[in-house]
Amino acid sequence: MNGWAMTLFRRDISLSVRIGGSALVGVLFFLAVVTVIPFGVGPDLNLLARIGPAILWIGALLATLLGLDRLFQADREDGTLDLMLMAGRPLEVVVLVKCLAHWVATGLPLVVAAPLLGIFLNLDPVSMAAVTATLLVGTPALTLIGAIGASLTVSLRRGGLLLAVLVIPLAIPVMIFGVSSADAAIHDPMPFMTPFLILCALTLISAVIGPVASAIALRFAGD
Amino acid sequence: MAFWDYANPTRFLKLVETVLPWLTGLCVIVFAVGLYLGFFVAPEDYQQGATVRIMFIHVPAAWLCMMCYSIMALSSLGTLVWKHPLADVSAKSAAPIGAAFTFMALVTGSLWGKPMWGTYWVWDARLTSVLVLFIMYLGLMTLWRTMDDPIKAGKAAAVLTLVGALNLPIIKFSVDWWNTLHQPASVMRMDGPSIDSSMLWPLFVMAIAFTLLFFVIHLMAMRNEILRRRVRALRMRAASAAHPGTAAATAQPAE
Amino acid sequence: MDLGPHAGFIIASYVLCAITVLGLIAWVRLDQAAQERALKELADRGIGRARTGQDSKS
């Protein structure tokens, strides 16, 4: 990785884990969502084991969406975004690096927390591993797709809810293949690898579309 | 006159004035013919009975909610690539119409599904895709409403429209896949009955009528949008004339 | 014309579609009236498009 990209990456990481950053709030939110769902559907352990992967995925989706509105907004408020736009570096790469840093700070903790939360949901070890693997592959896609929404709503003062509305339809494919490959690992004639590989493909596609589209949007928001 | 000449909003408005009465008249006539064919000429389907008549509005509405999104995607390309001044006007005024047609397709589909499938809603691939499309239309409309600068809003919405256009086939594919996985054991037929030609005609005429209706409303909405931007520009100019120096920086070009 | 046992569904779908279409048309017409009123108001205040050359020059 180039020097400037590494610097940007380190800067974003340290901004999000220090005081004022919101990296760990995402995990807390994830825990809260997963905790509240058994109160809604009842404490039946068989049911929870069946819908457990879906619960974890929905929790991860919501937690990712929650943190996304600050992806570019803080940089815009203090003027860093304008400097990045003027710096002459390819903005697509800047967006990609920022997404990567954001994912390491907020997405990766979700992946790490998922097996622990799986215990609450009565998941067996195989499905726990499957859910963790799909989250590991799938949450970057959520961040990258969400970057589009974050850059579109960057100039709005209260863009968080609108961001979620704009991003959720685009995140449906990731959701579908994430949950189905996790399900396929447990109890299906379906092989695990088919949906899992499609999920990987979706992540790669969004690694292209996300940075390009949000770089375009950021340039328009900047001028 | 070349296509590019209509980039001028004033000339476009003149064109709308001449075309609109004819288009409206034609639309009314085709609607009358289509409804007549649908209700008095077309026979009842031997399986669906009279409920097949819902198809005469459901299918055109479903076809138009796709066409409307295609027009919006083309307009977004026009905004981003060619910077055509009318492109984002077209995209913005198409979104509510598309949402309305999608709503119609969903409602008539449910009302057809209740007597035919026994339920108002199934999480079938096609229905789910249209529901997602509906959410996307509403999201785009909201994005337009929340940004007060029409130029910036147009560009943001254009990016989102194009990303959505890339994503819609993926969504369709994944919902199809998901649906085969969760195929419910119900009585619904996925393929649908093959359509007799006596029913194809009213369907065809109604599709033309809906398309004409779309273009009539779209042209009217585009005219409104041009007028709205004119009002906005005039107000800005008035404000900057009243307080020179302060408001001049934010004034936008007229259209 | 006999709509069969499901007449209610057929009528409901046609009525709802008609309402939606009429709603669209009403939205367009009301919007048009509002914009034209605003333009007229501006013109009355002397801010109108007196210099018509401004828009047809491009």
Side-chain angles (χ1 to χ4, degrees), chain B residues 8 10 39 44 50 53 107 114-115 220 223-224 228 230 237 255, chain C residues 1-3 6 10 14 16 28-29 31-32 35 49 51 54-55:
Chain B
N8 183 319
T10 310
F39 271 99
E44 292 185 1
R53 305 203 198 285
V107 166
K114 182 63 182 169
M220 289 168 84
R223 179 172 63 188
N224 291 346
R228 188 183 351 265
R230 199 166 276 176
R237 208 195 300 161
E255 269 106 14
Chain C
M1 187 175 57
D2 177 26
L3 289 179
H6 303 302
I10 300 172
Y14 273 85
L16 279 171
V28 165
R29 299 312 295 244
D31 197 13
Q32 185 183 4
Q35 301 312 326
R49 299 159 46 78
R51 294 170 295 136
Q54 184 239 334
D55 251 68

PDB file of all heavy atoms in Angstrom, chain B residues 8 10 39 44 50 53 107 114-115 220 223-224 228 230 237 255, chain C residues 1-3 6 10 14 16 28-29 31-32 35 49 51 54-55:
ATOM      1  N   ASN B   8     -32.992  23.889 -24.676  1.00  0.00           N
ATOM      2  CA  ASN B   8     -33.445  25.189 -24.211  1.00  0.00           C
ATOM      3  C   ASN B   8     -34.833  25.048 -23.581  1.00  0.00           C
ATOM      4  O   ASN B   8     -35.780  24.655 -24.251  1.00  0.00           O
ATOM      5  CB  ASN B   8     -33.509  26.127 -25.406  1.00  0.00           C
ATOM      6  CG  ASN B   8     -33.908  27.508 -25.010  1.00  0.00           C
ATOM      7  OD1 ASN B   8     -34.804  27.676 -24.178  1.00  0.00           O
ATOM      8  ND2 ASN B   8     -33.265  28.494 -25.567  1.00  0.00           N
ATOM      9  N   THR B  10     -37.151  27.140 -22.721  1.00  0.00           N
ATOM     10  CA  THR B  10     -38.253  27.907 -23.306  1.00  0.00           C
ATOM     11  C   THR B  10     -38.783  27.214 -24.545  1.00  0.00           C
ATOM     12  O   THR B  10     -39.990  27.064 -24.749  1.00  0.00           O
ATOM     13  CB  THR B  10     -37.759  29.309 -23.663  1.00  0.00           C
ATOM     14  OG1 THR B  10     -37.094  29.849 -22.536  1.00  0.00           O
ATOM     15  CG2 THR B  10     -38.911  30.193 -24.041  1.00  0.00           C
ATOM     16  N   PHE B  39     -63.789  -4.636 -21.000  1.00  0.00           N
ATOM     17  CA  PHE B  39     -64.981  -4.989 -20.245  1.00  0.00           C
ATOM     18  C   PHE B  39     -66.064  -5.631 -21.082  1.00  0.00           C
ATOM     19  O   PHE B  39     -66.867  -6.407 -20.574  1.00  0.00           O
ATOM     20  CB  PHE B  39     -65.554  -3.739 -19.564  1.00  0.00           C
ATOM     21  CG  PHE B  39     -64.958  -3.520 -18.209  1.00  0.00           C
ATOM     22  CD1 PHE B  39     -63.933  -2.609 -18.025  1.00  0.00           C
ATOM     23  CD2 PHE B  39     -65.407  -4.250 -17.127  1.00  0.00           C
ATOM     24  CE1 PHE B  39     -63.374  -2.435 -16.777  1.00  0.00           C
ATOM     25  CE2 PHE B  39     -64.857  -4.075 -15.884  1.00  0.00           C
ATOM     26  CZ  PHE B  39     -63.841  -3.167 -15.707  1.00  0.00           C
ATOM     27  N   GLU B  44     -64.297 -14.036 -20.686  1.00  0.00           N
ATOM     28  CA  GLU B  44     -63.745 -14.377 -19.387  1.00  0.00           C
ATOM     29  C   GLU B  44     -62.757 -15.529 -19.544  1.00  0.00           C
ATOM     30  O   GLU B  44     -62.939 -16.414 -20.359  1.00  0.00           O
ATOM     31  CB  GLU B  44     -64.862 -14.785 -18.435  1.00  0.00           C
ATOM     32  CG  GLU B  44     -65.756 -13.628 -18.085  1.00  0.00           C
ATOM     33  CD  GLU B  44     -66.786 -14.023 -17.052  1.00  0.00           C
ATOM     34  OE1 GLU B  44     -66.771 -15.186 -16.628  1.00  0.00           O
ATOM     35  OE2 GLU B  44     -67.589 -13.159 -16.691  1.00  0.00           O
ATOM     36  N   ALA B  50     -63.799 -13.581 -14.335  1.00  0.00           N
ATOM     37  CA  ALA B  50     -63.784 -12.153 -14.645  1.00  0.00           C
ATOM     38  C   ALA B  50     -62.579 -11.449 -14.056  1.00  0.00           C
ATOM     39  O   ALA B  50     -62.260 -10.329 -14.443  1.00  0.00           O
ATOM     40  CB  ALA B  50     -65.067 -11.502 -14.138  1.00  0.00           C
ATOM     41  N   ARG B  53     -59.870  -9.428 -15.801  1.00  0.00           N
ATOM     42  CA  ARG B  53     -59.964  -8.009 -16.169  1.00  0.00           C
ATOM     43  C   ARG B  53     -59.031  -7.142 -15.330  1.00  0.00           C
ATOM     44  O   ARG B  53     -58.669  -6.046 -15.744  1.00  0.00           O
ATOM     45  CB  ARG B  53     -61.391  -7.516 -16.016  1.00  0.00           C
ATOM     46  CG  ARG B  53     -62.391  -8.343 -16.793  1.00  0.00           C
ATOM     47  CD  ARG B  53     -63.654  -7.581 -17.088  1.00  0.00           C
ATOM     48  NE  ARG B  53     -64.749  -8.486 -17.451  1.00  0.00           N
ATOM     49  CZ  ARG B  53     -64.832  -9.089 -18.616  1.00  0.00           C
ATOM     50  NH1 ARG B  53     -63.898  -8.906 -19.517  1.00  0.00           N
ATOM     51  NH2 ARG B  53     -65.841  -9.901 -18.874  1.00  0.00           N
ATOM     52  N   VAL B 107     -51.045  -2.817  -5.853  1.00  0.00           N
ATOM     53  CA  VAL B 107     -52.408  -2.918  -5.340  1.00  0.00           C
ATOM     54  C   VAL B 107     -53.241  -3.859  -6.199  1.00  0.00           C
ATOM     55  O   VAL B 107     -53.914  -4.766  -5.685  1.00  0.00           O
ATOM     56  CB  VAL B 107     -53.049  -1.513  -5.287  1.00  0.00           C
ATOM     57  CG1 VAL B 107     -54.545  -1.619  -5.093  1.00  0.00           C
ATOM     58  CG2 VAL B 107     -52.447  -0.711  -4.175  1.00  0.00           C
ATOM     59  N   LYS B 114     -55.776 -12.174  -4.137  1.00  0.00           N
ATOM     60  CA  LYS B 114     -56.682 -12.659  -3.088  1.00  0.00           C
ATOM     61  C   LYS B 114     -57.667 -13.700  -3.614  1.00  0.00           C
ATOM     62  O   LYS B 114     -57.752 -14.800  -3.062  1.00  0.00           O
ATOM     63  CB  LYS B 114     -57.408 -11.455  -2.452  1.00  0.00           C
ATOM     64  CG  LYS B 114     -58.331 -11.843  -1.320  1.00  0.00           C
ATOM     65  CD  LYS B 114     -57.587 -12.467  -0.151  1.00  0.00           C
ATOM     66  CE  LYS B 114     -58.565 -12.884   0.935  1.00  0.00           C
ATOM     67  NZ  LYS B 114     -57.918 -13.710   1.964  1.00  0.00           N
ATOM     68  N   PRO B 115     -58.406 -13.406  -4.682  1.00  0.00           N
ATOM     69  CA  PRO B 115     -59.304 -14.473  -5.179  1.00  0.00           C
ATOM     70  C   PRO B 115     -58.558 -15.614  -5.876  1.00  0.00           C
ATOM     71  O   PRO B 115     -59.026 -16.752  -5.854  1.00  0.00           O
ATOM     72  CB  PRO B 115     -60.228 -13.736  -6.167  1.00  0.00           C
ATOM     73  CG  PRO B 115     -59.548 -12.479  -6.495  1.00  0.00           C
ATOM     74  CD  PRO B 115     -58.664 -12.124  -5.350  1.00  0.00           C
ATOM     75  N   MET B 220     -46.270  17.215 -18.400  1.00  0.00           N
ATOM     76  CA  MET B 220     -46.838  18.259 -17.541  1.00  0.00           C
ATOM     77  C   MET B 220     -45.968  18.483 -16.310  1.00  0.00           C
ATOM     78  O   MET B 220     -45.710  19.627 -15.902  1.00  0.00           O
ATOM     79  CB  MET B 220     -48.264  17.877 -17.134  1.00  0.00           C
ATOM     80  CG  MET B 220     -49.235  17.960 -18.281  1.00  0.00           C
ATOM     81  SD  MET B 220     -50.784  17.186 -17.871  1.00  0.00           S
ATOM     82  CE  MET B 220     -51.571  18.503 -17.019  1.00  0.00           C
ATOM     83  N   ARG B 223     -42.915  20.390 -17.219  1.00  0.00           N
ATOM     84  CA  ARG B 223     -43.214  21.815 -17.375  1.00  0.00           C
ATOM     85  C   ARG B 223     -43.282  22.491 -16.006  1.00  0.00           C
ATOM     86  O   ARG B 223     -42.708  23.563 -15.804  1.00  0.00           O
ATOM     87  CB  ARG B 223     -44.545  21.963 -18.116  1.00  0.00           C
ATOM     88  CG  ARG B 223     -44.951  23.403 -18.293  1.00  0.00           C
ATOM     89  CD  ARG B 223     -46.147  23.518 -19.177  1.00  0.00           C
ATOM     90  NE  ARG B 223     -47.312  22.867 -18.585  1.00  0.00           N
ATOM     91  CZ  ARG B 223     -48.454  22.701 -19.229  1.00  0.00           C
ATOM     92  NH1 ARG B 223     -48.576  23.107 -20.462  1.00  0.00           N
ATOM     93  NH2 ARG B 223     -49.483  22.120 -18.646  1.00  0.00           N
ATOM     94  N   ASN B 224     -43.958  21.820 -15.054  1.00  0.00           N
ATOM     95  CA  ASN B 224     -44.041  22.389 -13.709  1.00  0.00           C
ATOM     96  C   ASN B 224     -42.666  22.589 -13.103  1.00  0.00           C
ATOM     97  O   ASN B 224     -42.394  23.608 -12.468  1.00  0.00           O
ATOM     98  CB  ASN B 224     -44.837  21.474 -12.779  1.00  0.00           C
ATOM     99  CG  ASN B 224     -46.279  21.451 -13.147  1.00  0.00           C
ATOM    100  OD1 ASN B 224     -46.732  22.287 -13.915  1.00  0.00           O
ATOM    101  ND2 ASN B 224     -47.004  20.501 -12.604  1.00  0.00           N
ATOM    102  N   ARG B 228     -40.962  25.861 -11.811  1.00  0.00           N
ATOM    103  CA  ARG B 228     -40.549  25.985 -10.417  1.00  0.00           C
ATOM    104  C   ARG B 228     -39.127  26.530 -10.331  1.00  0.00           C
ATOM    105  O   ARG B 228     -38.823  27.392  -9.517  1.00  0.00           O
ATOM    106  CB  ARG B 228     -40.633  24.619  -9.741  1.00  0.00           C
ATOM    107  CG  ARG B 228     -40.405  24.702  -8.243  1.00  0.00           C
ATOM    108  CD  ARG B 228     -40.391  23.386  -7.504  1.00  0.00           C
ATOM    109  NE  ARG B 228     -40.786  22.214  -8.239  1.00  0.00           N
ATOM    110  CZ  ARG B 228     -42.000  21.712  -8.243  1.00  0.00           C
ATOM    111  NH1 ARG B 228     -42.938  22.309  -7.551  1.00  0.00           N
ATOM    112  NH2 ARG B 228     -42.270  20.631  -8.919  1.00  0.00           N
ATOM    113  N   ARG B 230     -37.688  28.329 -12.565  1.00  0.00           N
ATOM    114  CA  ARG B 230     -37.712  29.723 -13.000  1.00  0.00           C
ATOM    115  C   ARG B 230     -38.113  30.620 -11.823  1.00  0.00           C
ATOM    116  O   ARG B 230     -37.479  31.656 -11.586  1.00  0.00           O
ATOM    117  CB  ARG B 230     -38.714  29.839 -14.141  1.00  0.00           C
ATOM    118  CG  ARG B 230     -38.536  31.066 -14.961  1.00  0.00           C
ATOM    119  CD  ARG B 230     -39.323  30.944 -16.231  1.00  0.00           C
ATOM    120  NE  ARG B 230     -38.598  30.222 -17.262  1.00  0.00           N
ATOM    121  CZ  ARG B 230     -39.118  29.912 -18.450  1.00  0.00           C
ATOM    122  NH1 ARG B 230     -40.365  30.237 -18.714  1.00  0.00           N
ATOM    123  NH2 ARG B 230     -38.404  29.289 -19.345  1.00  0.00           N
ATOM    124  N   ARG B 237     -32.805  36.125  -7.789  1.00  0.00           N
ATOM    125  CA  ARG B 237     -32.310  37.352  -8.393  1.00  0.00           C
ATOM    126  C   ARG B 237     -32.904  38.552  -7.658  1.00  0.00           C
ATOM    127  O   ARG B 237     -32.212  39.540  -7.400  1.00  0.00           O
ATOM    128  CB  ARG B 237     -32.691  37.387  -9.866  1.00  0.00           C
ATOM    129  CG  ARG B 237     -31.691  38.214 -10.672  1.00  0.00           C
ATOM    130  CD  ARG B 237     -32.223  38.565 -12.022  1.00  0.00           C
ATOM    131  NE  ARG B 237     -32.533  37.387 -12.817  1.00  0.00           N
ATOM    132  CZ  ARG B 237     -33.346  37.426 -13.873  1.00  0.00           C
ATOM    133  NH1 ARG B 237     -33.929  38.548 -14.219  1.00  0.00           N
ATOM    134  NH2 ARG B 237     -33.582  36.329 -14.548  1.00  0.00           N
ATOM    135  N   GLU B 255     -31.820  27.792 -15.364  1.00  0.00           N
ATOM    136  CA  GLU B 255     -32.259  26.408 -15.507  1.00  0.00           C
ATOM    137  C   GLU B 255     -31.085  25.509 -15.849  1.00  0.00           C
ATOM    138  O   GLU B 255     -30.241  25.906 -16.605  1.00  0.00           O
ATOM    139  CB  GLU B 255     -33.307  26.261 -16.601  1.00  0.00           C
ATOM    140  CG  GLU B 255     -34.723  26.399 -16.109  1.00  0.00           C
ATOM    141  CD  GLU B 255     -35.313  27.718 -16.518  1.00  0.00           C
ATOM    142  OE1 GLU B 255     -34.719  28.364 -17.372  1.00  0.00           O
ATOM    143  OE2 GLU B 255     -36.305  28.117 -15.940  1.00  0.00           O
TER     144      GLU B 255
ATOM    145  N   MET C   1     -73.126  -7.129 -18.422  1.00  0.00           N
ATOM    146  CA  MET C   1     -71.761  -7.463 -17.990  1.00  0.00           C
ATOM    147  C   MET C   1     -71.804  -8.073 -16.597  1.00  0.00           C
ATOM    148  O   MET C   1     -72.298  -7.464 -15.664  1.00  0.00           O
ATOM    149  CB  MET C   1     -70.925  -6.187 -18.000  1.00  0.00           C
ATOM    150  CG  MET C   1     -69.485  -6.453 -17.725  1.00  0.00           C
ATOM    151  SD  MET C   1     -68.531  -4.962 -17.878  1.00  0.00           S
ATOM    152  CE  MET C   1     -69.321  -3.861 -16.730  1.00  0.00           C
ATOM    153  N   ASP C   2     -71.293  -9.264 -16.507  1.00  0.00           N
ATOM    154  CA  ASP C   2     -71.302  -9.927 -15.213  1.00  0.00           C
ATOM    155  C   ASP C   2     -69.861 -10.104 -14.755  1.00  0.00           C
ATOM    156  O   ASP C   2     -69.034 -10.646 -15.477  1.00  0.00           O
ATOM    157  CB  ASP C   2     -71.984 -11.299 -15.373  1.00  0.00           C
ATOM    158  CG  ASP C   2     -71.946 -12.058 -14.064  1.00  0.00           C
ATOM    159  OD1 ASP C   2     -71.883 -11.382 -13.013  1.00  0.00           O
ATOM    160  OD2 ASP C   2     -71.966 -13.299 -14.109  1.00  0.00           O
ATOM    161  N   LEU C   3     -69.578  -9.578 -13.585  1.00  0.00           N
ATOM    162  CA  LEU C   3     -68.196  -9.628 -13.117  1.00  0.00           C
ATOM    163  C   LEU C   3     -67.922 -10.861 -12.264  1.00  0.00           C
ATOM    164  O   LEU C   3     -66.832 -11.006 -11.720  1.00  0.00           O
ATOM    165  CB  LEU C   3     -67.855  -8.363 -12.352  1.00  0.00           C
ATOM    166  CG  LEU C   3     -67.735  -7.122 -13.243  1.00  0.00           C
ATOM    167  CD1 LEU C   3     -67.415  -5.917 -12.415  1.00  0.00           C
ATOM    168  CD2 LEU C   3     -66.690  -7.322 -14.315  1.00  0.00           C
ATOM    169  N   HIS C   6     -66.132 -12.425  -8.015  1.00  0.00           N
ATOM    170  CA  HIS C   6     -65.079 -11.578  -7.449  1.00  0.00           C
ATOM    171  C   HIS C   6     -65.228 -10.134  -7.885  1.00  0.00           C
ATOM    172  O   HIS C   6     -64.243  -9.414  -8.003  1.00  0.00           O
ATOM    173  CB  HIS C   6     -63.706 -12.100  -7.849  1.00  0.00           C
ATOM    174  CG  HIS C   6     -63.489 -13.514  -7.438  1.00  0.00           C
ATOM    175  ND1 HIS C   6     -63.581 -13.923  -6.123  1.00  0.00           N
ATOM    176  CD2 HIS C   6     -63.208 -14.629  -8.153  1.00  0.00           C
ATOM    177  CE1 HIS C   6     -63.348 -15.214  -6.063  1.00  0.00           C
ATOM    178  NE2 HIS C   6     -63.131 -15.664  -7.273  1.00  0.00           N
ATOM    179  N   ILE C  10     -62.462  -6.734  -8.527  1.00  0.00           N
ATOM    180  CA  ILE C  10     -62.244  -6.062  -9.813  1.00  0.00           C
ATOM    181  C   ILE C  10     -62.571  -4.584  -9.678  1.00  0.00           C
ATOM    182  O   ILE C  10     -61.781  -3.711 -10.062  1.00  0.00           O
ATOM    183  CB  ILE C  10     -63.116  -6.723 -10.894  1.00  0.00           C
ATOM    184  CG1 ILE C  10     -62.745  -8.202 -11.028  1.00  0.00           C
ATOM    185  CG2 ILE C  10     -62.937  -6.017 -12.212  1.00  0.00           C
ATOM    186  CD1 ILE C  10     -63.663  -8.964 -11.911  1.00  0.00           C
ATOM    187  N   TYR C  14     -60.005  -1.331 -10.020  1.00  0.00           N
ATOM    188  CA  TYR C  14     -60.190  -0.250 -10.989  1.00  0.00           C
ATOM    189  C   TYR C  14     -60.370   1.086 -10.273  1.00  0.00           C
ATOM    190  O   TYR C  14     -59.814   2.106 -10.690  1.00  0.00           O
ATOM    191  CB  TYR C  14     -61.374  -0.540 -11.918  1.00  0.00           C
ATOM    192  CG  TYR C  14     -60.968  -1.367 -13.114  1.00  0.00           C
ATOM    193  CD1 TYR C  14     -60.913  -2.752 -13.042  1.00  0.00           C
ATOM    194  CD2 TYR C  14     -60.599  -0.764 -14.301  1.00  0.00           C
ATOM    195  CE1 TYR C  14     -60.507  -3.507 -14.127  1.00  0.00           C
ATOM    196  CE2 TYR C  14     -60.189  -1.510 -15.391  1.00  0.00           C
ATOM    197  CZ  TYR C  14     -60.151  -2.884 -15.293  1.00  0.00           C
ATOM    198  OH  TYR C  14     -59.725  -3.622 -16.368  1.00  0.00           O
ATOM    199  N   LEU C  16     -59.270   1.965  -7.290  1.00  0.00           N
ATOM    200  CA  LEU C  16     -58.010   2.432  -6.693  1.00  0.00           C
ATOM    201  C   LEU C  16     -57.071   2.982  -7.755  1.00  0.00           C
ATOM    202  O   LEU C  16     -56.405   4.001  -7.547  1.00  0.00           O
ATOM    203  CB  LEU C  16     -57.341   1.288  -5.935  1.00  0.00           C
ATOM    204  CG  LEU C  16     -57.915   1.054  -4.554  1.00  0.00           C
ATOM    205  CD1 LEU C  16     -57.360  -0.219  -3.954  1.00  0.00           C
ATOM    206  CD2 LEU C  16     -57.575   2.223  -3.643  1.00  0.00           C
ATOM    207  N   VAL C  28     -50.331  17.286 -10.532  1.00  0.00           N
ATOM    208  CA  VAL C  28     -49.706  18.048 -11.614  1.00  0.00           C
ATOM    209  C   VAL C  28     -50.417  19.372 -11.822  1.00  0.00           C
ATOM    210  O   VAL C  28     -49.787  20.429 -11.943  1.00  0.00           O
ATOM    211  CB  VAL C  28     -49.718  17.187 -12.894  1.00  0.00           C
ATOM    212  CG1 VAL C  28     -49.420  18.038 -14.102  1.00  0.00           C
ATOM    213  CG2 VAL C  28     -48.678  16.100 -12.799  1.00  0.00           C
ATOM    214  N   ARG C  29     -51.767  19.330 -11.836  1.00  0.00           N
ATOM    215  CA  ARG C  29     -52.506  20.572 -12.099  1.00  0.00           C
ATOM    216  C   ARG C  29     -52.315  21.577 -10.972  1.00  0.00           C
ATOM    217  O   ARG C  29     -52.112  22.771 -11.214  1.00  0.00           O
ATOM    218  CB  ARG C  29     -54.012  20.290 -12.275  1.00  0.00           C
ATOM    219  CG  ARG C  29     -54.368  19.385 -13.425  1.00  0.00           C
ATOM    220  CD  ARG C  29     -53.695  19.757 -14.699  1.00  0.00           C
ATOM    221  NE  ARG C  29     -54.117  21.054 -15.189  1.00  0.00           N
ATOM    222  CZ  ARG C  29     -54.772  21.243 -16.332  1.00  0.00           C
ATOM    223  NH1 ARG C  29     -55.087  20.215 -17.085  1.00  0.00           N
ATOM    224  NH2 ARG C  29     -55.095  22.460 -16.731  1.00  0.00           N
ATOM    225  N   ASP C  31     -49.872  21.803  -8.893  1.00  0.00           N
ATOM    226  CA  ASP C  31     -48.499  22.279  -8.929  1.00  0.00           C
ATOM    227  C   ASP C  31     -48.348  23.356  -9.993  1.00  0.00           C
ATOM    228  O   ASP C  31     -47.753  24.413  -9.759  1.00  0.00           O
ATOM    229  CB  ASP C  31     -47.586  21.083  -9.228  1.00  0.00           C
ATOM    230  CG  ASP C  31     -46.145  21.380  -8.895  1.00  0.00           C
ATOM    231  OD1 ASP C  31     -45.921  22.388  -8.227  1.00  0.00           O
ATOM    232  OD2 ASP C  31     -45.269  20.607  -9.307  1.00  0.00           O
ATOM    233  N   GLN C  32     -48.950  23.075 -11.161  1.00  0.00           N
ATOM    234  CA  GLN C  32     -48.865  24.036 -12.253  1.00  0.00           C
ATOM    235  C   GLN C  32     -49.501  25.355 -11.845  1.00  0.00           C
ATOM    236  O   GLN C  32     -48.929  26.432 -12.071  1.00  0.00           O
ATOM    237  CB  GLN C  32     -49.575  23.464 -13.473  1.00  0.00           C
ATOM    238  CG  GLN C  32     -49.433  24.332 -14.705  1.00  0.00           C
ATOM    239  CD  GLN C  32     -50.217  23.766 -15.860  1.00  0.00           C
ATOM    240  OE1 GLN C  32     -50.926  22.780 -15.724  1.00  0.00           O
ATOM    241  NE2 GLN C  32     -50.086  24.398 -17.008  1.00  0.00           N
ATOM    242  N   GLN C  35     -47.190  27.210  -9.478  1.00  0.00           N
ATOM    243  CA  GLN C  35     -46.017  27.830 -10.120  1.00  0.00           C
ATOM    244  C   GLN C  35     -46.419  29.033 -10.944  1.00  0.00           C
ATOM    245  O   GLN C  35     -45.750  30.065 -10.933  1.00  0.00           O
ATOM    246  CB  GLN C  35     -45.290  26.813 -10.998  1.00  0.00           C
ATOM    247  CG  GLN C  35     -44.795  25.580 -10.286  1.00  0.00           C
ATOM    248  CD  GLN C  35     -44.058  25.888  -9.017  1.00  0.00           C
ATOM    249  OE1 GLN C  35     -43.372  26.886  -8.914  1.00  0.00           O
ATOM    250  NE2 GLN C  35     -44.240  25.052  -8.018  1.00  0.00           N
ATOM    251  N   ARG C  49     -40.030  38.129 -16.275  1.00  0.00           N
ATOM    252  CA  ARG C  49     -39.050  37.910 -17.319  1.00  0.00           C
ATOM    253  C   ARG C  49     -39.267  38.926 -18.425  1.00  0.00           C
ATOM    254  O   ARG C  49     -39.578  38.594 -19.561  1.00  0.00           O
ATOM    255  CB  ARG C  49     -39.182  36.494 -17.848  1.00  0.00           C
ATOM    256  CG  ARG C  49     -38.931  35.489 -16.780  1.00  0.00           C
ATOM    257  CD  ARG C  49     -39.543  34.157 -17.140  1.00  0.00           C
ATOM    258  NE  ARG C  49     -39.231  33.791 -18.522  1.00  0.00           N
ATOM    259  CZ  ARG C  49     -38.071  33.307 -18.890  1.00  0.00           C
ATOM    260  NH1 ARG C  49     -37.124  33.146 -18.008  1.00  0.00           N
ATOM    261  NH2 ARG C  49     -37.848  32.979 -20.141  1.00  0.00           N
ATOM    262  N   ARG C  51     -37.064  40.882 -19.747  1.00  0.00           N
ATOM    263  CA  ARG C  51     -36.025  40.725 -20.761  1.00  0.00           C
ATOM    264  C   ARG C  51     -36.090  39.301 -21.289  1.00  0.00           C
ATOM    265  O   ARG C  51     -35.422  38.411 -20.802  1.00  0.00           O
ATOM    266  CB  ARG C  51     -34.664  41.004 -20.136  1.00  0.00           C
ATOM    267  CG  ARG C  51     -34.516  42.446 -19.701  1.00  0.00           C
ATOM    268  CD  ARG C  51     -33.275  42.595 -18.876  1.00  0.00           C
ATOM    269  NE  ARG C  51     -33.362  41.845 -17.628  1.00  0.00           N
ATOM    270  CZ  ARG C  51     -32.361  41.117 -17.164  1.00  0.00           C
ATOM    271  NH1 ARG C  51     -31.259  41.006 -17.836  1.00  0.00           N
ATOM    272  NH2 ARG C  51     -32.491  40.493 -16.014  1.00  0.00           N
ATOM    273  N   GLN C  54     -33.220  36.725 -22.334  1.00  0.00           N
ATOM    274  CA  GLN C  54     -32.313  36.073 -21.412  1.00  0.00           C
ATOM    275  C   GLN C  54     -32.310  34.557 -21.552  1.00  0.00           C
ATOM    276  O   GLN C  54     -31.274  33.914 -21.434  1.00  0.00           O
ATOM    277  CB  GLN C  54     -32.715  36.476 -19.999  1.00  0.00           C
ATOM    278  CG  GLN C  54     -31.798  35.954 -18.914  1.00  0.00           C
ATOM    279  CD  GLN C  54     -32.534  35.116 -17.936  1.00  0.00           C
ATOM    280  OE1 GLN C  54     -33.720  35.278 -17.763  1.00  0.00           O
ATOM    281  NE2 GLN C  54     -31.831  34.230 -17.278  1.00  0.00           N
ATOM    282  N   ASP C  55     -33.477  33.989 -21.863  1.00  0.00           N
ATOM    283  CA  ASP C  55     -33.519  32.527 -21.875  1.00  0.00           C
ATOM    284  C   ASP C  55     -33.352  31.937 -23.260  1.00  0.00           C
ATOM    285  O   ASP C  55     -33.040  30.773 -23.383  1.00  0.00           O
ATOM    286  CB  ASP C  55     -34.840  32.043 -21.288  1.00  0.00           C
ATOM    287  CG  ASP C  55     -34.619  31.423 -19.937  1.00  0.00           C
ATOM    288  OD1 ASP C  55     -34.272  32.185 -19.009  1.00  0.00           O
ATOM    289  OD2 ASP C  55     -34.732  30.205 -19.827  1.00  0.00           O
TER     290      ASP C  55
END
